[in-house]
Amino acid sequence: MARKRKRKSRRRQEGRKILELVPQYHIESGEDKPVTAARNYISSLGIVPPALMVVKRNEHTTDRYFWAEKGLFGAQYVEENHFLFPSLQAIELQQDWDNGKKAVATMVSR
């Protein structure tokens, strides 16, 4: 029997494309929990939002967090609700329908 494909949310796909444009930092959690390791890394380097933290928990698992003005959020939540974050509202995706539905990202000054 054929397996039904999972429907991909357009809003989440758009959020994922926006997060790809944000600076990313790859770290390992070590003995700390992933969130604690991300917070310690942010405070030690003085990273300014927006930023994406990719924390390697072990050889198989990585956690993704988004560093925003109001704190640290799970990246999946931010992908689905990117319109709630002021730092991501400055990045706007525009569809270029003439060139085969290619997504083009532009910075919008407001």
Side-chain angles (χ1 to χ4, degrees):
M1 186 171 174
R3 189 172 173 198
K4 186 177 178 184
R5 290 188 193 166
K6 187 174 181 181
R7 186 171 89 65
K8 293 187 178 180
S9 167
R10 287 190 179 163
R11 186 168 74 179
R12 185 164 177 205
Q13 284 178 333
E14 183 178 338
R16 182 175 285 270
K17 289 176 185 175
I18 290 173
L19 280 184
E20 287 175 359
L21 302 172
V22 172
Q24 296 186 10
Y25 298 90
H26 298 269
I27 61 173
E28 291 190 21
S29 63
E31 294 295 319
D32 295 329
K33 291 182 179 179
V35 175
T36 306
R39 289 184 189 279
N40 291 341
Y41 188 77
I42 289 167
S43 64
S44 68
L45 291 182
I47 298 172
V48 293
L52 191 67
M53 309 301 297
V54 180
V55 183
K56 189 171 184 177
R57 196 184 318 173
N58 57 40
E59 60 187 78
H60 303 292
T61 310
T62 57
D63 295 319
R64 296 170 46 232
Y65 301 101
F66 178 72
W67 177 236
E69 293 85 4
K70 295 186 178 183
L72 199 61
F73 296 87
Q76 184 173 342
Y77 173 79
V78 176
E79 287 173 357
E80 294 170 357
N81 301 293
H82 58 88
F83 49 87
L84 297 176
F85 295 88
S87 60
L88 294 179
Q89 289 177 354
I91 302 172
E92 187 177 279
L93 289 178
Q94 297 176 344
Q95 295 292 331
D96 186 4
W97 297 106
D98 298 333
N99 296 332
K101 296 182 181 180
K102 182 179 176 184
V104 177
T106 57
M107 294 295 288
V108 178
S109 58
R110 294 182 183 170

